[in-house]
C-alpha cells in the first residue's frame, strides 16, 4: 500500500511544535525538540492500562529499528481517556521499562484535548488521517509522524499499529 502524506496545517504560532515546553517523564525541563533530538519522530499519546497498551512492543521495535537512521519514537502519557494512565511519573517509567523494555523518550503526562490541551497537540490536531479525520484525539495511542522540523507528515488512528506498513512507510519517508 502506498504512503499518502496527511494534509496538514501550518503551526498557528511563529514557532515549531518542537519549541513547545515539554518536560521529560523524570521531570527534567525541556522542549519537544529536546525529546526528539531534532530528529523525525513518531509521537504517540500512551497509557498503561488500555486495551491498546501492548502496542508498546511494536513502538519499541520501531524505535530500535530506525534509531540508527535518525528516527525516534516519543511517548506522551495521557490520562484523559478512561483514566487509563493514572500512575505517577515513576510508576509509568517502571511499568514501561519492566513490562515492555521501553527505551524511547517519554514526556511528562499531558492533556491532548480540551482547554488544557498541550501546545504540541495544538500543533497536531488539525492534521488529517487517511480517512480525512482531524480534530480532537480520539483515544490512547493515536500516532503522528513528524519530520525533523516538527511538521506533521501523517496521522494514524489508535487502532493502526506501529508495525502497520502505512506507519512504516511514513517513518521511512522522513529518513534521509
Amino acid at each position: 500500500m502506498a504512503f499518502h502524506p496527511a494534509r496538514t496545517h501550518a503551526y498557528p504560532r511563529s514557532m515549531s511544535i518542537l519549541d513547545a515546553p515539554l518536560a521529560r517523564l523524570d521531570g527534567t525541563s525541556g522542549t519537544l525538540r529536546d525529546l526528539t533530538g531534532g530528529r523525525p519522530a513518531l509521537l504517540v499519546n500512551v497509557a498503561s492500562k488500555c486495551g491498546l497498551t501492548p502496542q508498546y512492543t511494536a513502538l519499541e521495535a520501531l524505535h530500535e529499528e530506525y534509531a540508527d537512521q535518525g528516527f525516534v519514537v516519543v511517548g506522551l502519557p495521557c490520562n484523559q481517556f478512561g483514566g487509563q494512565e493514572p500512575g505517577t511519573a515513576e510508576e509509568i517509567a517502571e511499568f514501561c521499562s519492566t513490562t515492555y523494555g521501553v527505551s524511547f523518550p517519554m514526556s511528562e503526562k499531558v492533556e491532548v484535548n480540551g482547554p488544557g490541551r498541550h501546545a504540541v497537540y495544538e500543533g497536531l490536531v488539525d492534521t488529517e488521517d487517511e480517512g480525512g479525520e482531524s480534530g480532537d484525539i480520539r483515544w490512547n495511542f493515536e500516532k503522528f509522524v513528524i519530520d525533523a522540523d516538527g511538521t506533521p507528515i501523517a496521522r494514524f488512528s489508535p487502532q493502526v499499529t506501529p508495525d502497520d506498513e502505512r506507519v512504516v512507510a511514513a517513518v521511512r519517508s522522513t529518513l534521509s
Side-chain angles (χ1 to χ4, degrees), residues 6-42:
R7 283 173 264 160
T8 63
H9 72 293
Y11 188 62
R13 296 173 180 86
S14 60
M15 65 180 195
S16 162
I17 64 169
L18 296 175
D19 298 318
L22 184 65
R24 292 183 178 271
L25 190 57
D26 69 6
T28 305
S29 298
T31 63
L32 179 58
R33 185 181 315 278
D34 296 327
L35 286 168
T36 67
R39 298 171 285 178
L42 178 70

Side-chain angles (χ1 to χ4, degrees), residues 14-101:
S14 60
M15 65 180 195
S16 162
I17 64 169
L18 296 175
D19 298 318
L22 184 65
R24 292 183 178 271
L25 190 57
D26 69 6
T28 305
S29 298
T31 63
L32 179 58
R33 185 181 315 278
D34 296 327
L35 286 168
T36 67
R39 298 171 285 178
L42 178 70
L43 307 179
V44 186
N45 63 305
V46 294
S48 301
K49 302 195 181 304
C50 175
L52 300 175
T53 301
Q55 286 190 22
Y56 269 122
T57 300
L59 289 169
E60 180 62 23
L62 190 71
H63 176 73
E64 288 178 10
E65 182 171 352
Y66 292 102
D68 288 343
Q69 296 176 51
F71 189 82
V72 64
V73 171
V74 177
L76 295 103
C78 178
N79 194 39
Q80 286 188 294
F81 302 102
Q84 295 179 346
E85 189 61 278
T88 65
E90 294 79 18
E91 290 168 337
I92 294 167
E94 177 69 19
F95 171 81
C96 291
S97 173
T98 304
T99 309
Y100 291 102

